Amino acid sequence: MRHFIVTSPTSGGDRGLQPMGSRAEILSALERRNTAPERPGEDTLYGPGIVVELSPGQDPVLQMILFIDDEDIAWQVIPRLARDLHWRLVDDTTGREMVFGR
């Protein structure tokens, strides 16, 4: 299954990754976009054509892993999510970065 590392588009410099938001903010924003865990408190979220993995207990969220479950549907959803939520995606196999316009 193809996957991407999702981070904030801004760098934290020497401090590492820039927080993307609190765990509650991330969950709420994704839930409004039809992406949520099967049961409250789980770290795996399911959406149209995608699966998003949160690091257990990480708050604020520094990065997530986005798996493509269905290519046809996912590429209709991913650019909108990335623009709306200010995501930077890094292809873990190639290192190629994608930042979608805002």
Side-chain angles (χ1 to χ4, degrees):
M1 192 180 311
R2 189 170 177 197
H3 64 280
F4 296 87
I5 307 300
V6 180
T7 64
S8 170
T10 56
S11 170
D14 292 340
R15 295 174 288 146
L17 295 172
Q18 184 75 12
M20 298 175 65
S22 73
R23 190 175 191 86
E25 291 167 338
I26 298 292
L27 289 170
S28 176
L30 287 171
E31 185 175 41
R32 287 191 307 272
R33 291 162 177 88
N34 198 29
T35 302
E38 287 185 350
R39 289 178 286 285
E42 291 184 342
D43 299 316
T44 303
L45 291 70
Y46 300 90
I50 62 171
V51 176
V52 178
E53 292 274 338
L54 299 172
S55 296
Q58 186 180 72
D59 198 357
V61 175
L62 301 177
Q63 65 182 1
M64 303 179 290
I65 301 175
L66 182 143
F67 294 92
I68 295 180
D69 194 35
D70 182 322
E71 289 272 343
D72 294 332
I73 296 170
W75 288 113
Q76 295 176 32
V77 172
I78 292 170
R80 187 175 314 131
L81 284 174
R83 271 192 310 275
D84 291 354
L85 302 176
H86 309 288
W87 287 356
R88 177 178 68 129
L89 282 77
V90 178
D91 185 324
D92 196 33
T93 56
T94 66
R96 184 175 152 220
E97 295 182 20
M98 289 183 272
V99 178
F100 296 87
R102 291 174 224 345

